[in-house]
């Protein structure tokens, strides 16, 4: 629910600048949402978190590049 929504290769994603403090960036990609045997709705996500001594803009660009590459290997969302 937090973060800036976007889409990466047909997957829903959230962008989180500085989730763990300065010089961090997180991309959270939704793989699928499903109901388990106890009738709870669960979501599988792929999370990419970068940290380093780079400007936020650079961390964001690298995180999005990595997210695009990783998401290309995920099954298409249903």
């Amino acid at each position: 629910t937090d973060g800036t929504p976007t889409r990466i290769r047909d997957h829903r994603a959230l962008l989180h600048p500085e989730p763990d403090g300065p010089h961090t960036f997180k991309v959270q990609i939704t793989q699928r949402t499903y109901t388990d045997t106890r009738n709870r709705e669960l979501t599988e996500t792929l999370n990419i978190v970068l940290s380093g001594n780079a400007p936020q803009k650079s961390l964001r660009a690298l995180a999005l590049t990595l997210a695009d590459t990783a998401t290309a290997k995920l099954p298409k969302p249903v």
Side-chain angles (χ1 to χ4, degrees):
T1 59
D2 258 349
T4 302
T6 191
R7 295 194 77 77
I8 300 173
R9 293 186 181 255
D10 294 328
H11 291 265
R12 291 180 296 131
L14 292 171
L15 308 180
H16 303 273
E18 301 187 343
D20 298 320
H23 304 290
T24 64
F25 195 90
K26 177 179 176 180
V27 180
Q28 184 176 36
I29 302 154
T30 299
Q31 167 53 28
R32 70 180 179 124
T33 302
Y34 63 97
T35 303
D36 73 358
T37 57
R38 292 193 266 172
N39 212 31
R40 296 178 299 178
E41 189 172 304
L42 302 175
T43 302
E44 288 180 354
T45 62
L46 167 63
N47 299 298
I48 297 171
V49 180
L50 294 181
S51 64
N53 243 355
Q56 190 62 224
K57 188 174 182 177
S58 296
L59 289 174
R60 181 184 193 279
L62 181 54
L64 287 171
T65 298
L66 291 171
D68 182 68
T69 301
T71 304
K73 299 188 181 295
L74 292 176
K76 296 278 185 204
V78 180

